[in-house]
Amino acid sequence: MSEATTGSNGDDEIVTVNFKVTQSFLDEIDSTWQGRGFNSRSEFIRYTLRDATEFPTFDRDELIALLQAEEDIREGRTMSADEARKQFGTDSDE
């Protein structure tokens, strides 16, 4: 994940940026970066901001859907492909 620490050419100067968030949001950020294997909060924020600027078409609704899907998987709220075909009335030949 170290690619998030510098600019694309490696010669960019690192500058400090300050911003305010609520304590509860900061707690959420901290649990996220630690759970995803980043080395620091700053590394996670740089990575996240870089990702948002490189892929600006990925919107909030898509992120929410992905996060919900991850939670469903963790909570065991999944079904097999056969179960999905039966529930949604699709053929396995399609």
Side-chain angles (χ1 to χ4, degrees):
M1 309 231 173
S2 61
E3 68 211 33
T5 59
T6 60
S8 58
N9 65 8
D11 295 332
D12 289 343
E13 177 185 356
I14 299 292
V15 296
T16 300
V17 176
N18 295 309
F19 59 95
K20 295 180 181 183
V21 297
T22 63
Q23 183 63 51
S24 61
F25 184 47
L26 182 61
D27 293 343
E28 206 172 321
I29 290 169
D30 285 343
S31 98
T32 302
W33 74 261
Q34 292 166 351
R36 293 190 181 172
F38 286 87
N39 295 318
S40 67
R41 180 191 297 155
S42 293
E43 181 183 1
F44 170 71
I45 292 171
R46 280 191 300 272
Y47 179 87
T48 302
L49 291 173
R50 178 168 290 117
D51 196 51
T53 58
E54 288 179 7
F55 304 104
T57 59
F58 191 76
D59 67 17
R60 183 177 175 85
D61 292 336
E62 292 170 314
L63 178 60
I64 290 169
L66 282 173
L67 292 172
Q68 182 61 53
E70 281 189 23
E71 182 178 326
D72 288 345
I73 291 168
R74 277 195 304 273
E75 297 295 323
R77 297 185 299 251
T78 61
M79 65 178 73
S80 70
D82 285 337
E83 291 169 323
R85 283 195 271 294
K86 286 178 188 173
Q87 180 176 341
F88 297 106
T90 60
D91 257 344
S92 60
D93 295 337
E94 290 183 17

